[in-house]
Amino acid sequence: SARTHARDNIDVPKLGALVTFFNGISVSWWNATHNVHHAVPNTLDCDPDIAHLPVIALDKRMFGSLFNKYHGRVMEFDWAARNIFVPYQHFWYYPIMCVARFNLYIQSVLFLVKTDDGHGKREKLNMAAFVGYFGWFVPLAFSIPTWFERVAFVLLSHAVAGLLNVQITLSHFPRPIFDSPNKEDGGVKYGGDFYTRNVIASLDVDCPTYFDWFHGGLQFQTLHHLYPRLGREHLRKTEPLIASLCKKHFLPYTRMSFIEGNMEVCQTLKDAALNARTWSPLIYESMCAQG
């Protein structure tokens, strides 16, 4: 997980509960997904941060309804995915980002009620904090006079928070997607060693110093993945060192503007969407046939 100052002197469960109480997203859930994401970023059947079917598929290999090792279930490329979402996902992307926070609430609930998935313990304090969030947010919404204003407040506040979803997905969606081959395959597992796969799977945003407030450190996603405990105050001055190291070892360190990054995301989604329009389960099954 991310670095905190004087970590040894901080009560991490209490700090996590405090964040959950004011943020509404379970820190226990976030720790579980984020740690796996850092270990195997952009891996086709392991990284929970790219497992978004039925609404988004980044690669045509996802059309085969793959078993996701994090979620422990098949991510179905079902009727809704084939006909409503994925073929038009480059149009759906920003509207989905505006309401994605509601999905994070759902994911937090699903995580907190399950105890046998092997993704770490659920602290009772974190559960109480998650319930506590709705204990203050719901009365706050109902303190607004009319239903129209209440709904507008909730939707607008969550849409603004959707900027964070855009920031995070921009850092990985346009990057290569890795297979996780079996030992018999002889392939490069998870995109290579830890350093290589995190460089390839991440994208940094090029912006002036005076715009750092907008990105909050997320513009240095490659650095964060390579050195997750490096404080945000050190990211900008460390970036040239990482770029130089990648150049020395012929690793494709990628950096572009926020606008260019958004265009790359939309193009990636569009490419997969066009493939989805011509994809057929019969053709896929014939390709996978043996004998």
Side-chain angles (χ1 to χ4, degrees), residues 48-84:
D49 282 14
I50 62 170
H52 300 303
L53 280 173
V55 295
I56 289 177
L58 300 177
D59 189 280
K60 61 183 179 181
R61 287 171 289 178
M62 295 178 174
F63 302 164
S65 296
L66 300 176
F67 181 84
N68 186 275
K69 296 173 183 175
Y70 173 84
H71 291 291
R73 64 180 178 86
V74 174
M75 304 300 290
E76 293 284 354
F77 189 59
D78 56 18
W79 183 91
R82 294 196 303 270
N83 296 279
I84 299 176

Side-chain angles (χ1 to χ4, degrees), residues 78-193:
D78 56 18
W79 183 91
R82 294 196 303 270
N83 296 279
I84 299 176
F85 293 112
V86 176
Y88 311 101
Q89 61 185 359
H90 48 304
F91 299 117
W92 281 114
Y93 174 65
Y94 291 108
I96 287 174
M97 293 299 102
C98 288
V99 296
R101 190 175 182 85
F102 293 105
N103 177 59
L104 300 184
Y105 296 152
I106 295 171
Q107 295 301 318
S108 294
V109 171
L110 294 176
F111 179 83
L112 291 173
V113 298
K114 292 179 67 176
T115 58
D116 58 350
D117 57 4
H119 293 309
K121 62 181 180 179
R122 280 72 163 163
E123 292 103 354
K124 292 181 179 179
L125 183 60
N126 191 258
M127 294 182 184
F130 181 72
V131 174
Y133 166 78
F134 294 96
W136 69 261
F137 183 79
V138 173
L140 176 65
F142 273 92
S143 68
I144 300 173
T146 68
W147 269 104
F148 175 81
E149 292 173 324
R150 292 167 188 165
V151 173
F153 164 72
V154 171
L155 292 179
L156 181 59
S157 62
H158 284 64
V160 172
L163 283 170
L164 177 62
N165 299 311
V166 172
Q167 293 262 19
I168 294 172
T169 55
L170 178 148
S171 300
H172 298 289
F173 273 18
R175 307 303 296 149
I177 305 297
F178 306 129
D179 278 318
S180 56
N182 296 322
K183 294 180 180 179
E184 293 79 10
D185 293 339
V188 178
K189 198 169 186 178
Y190 305 124
D193 60 79

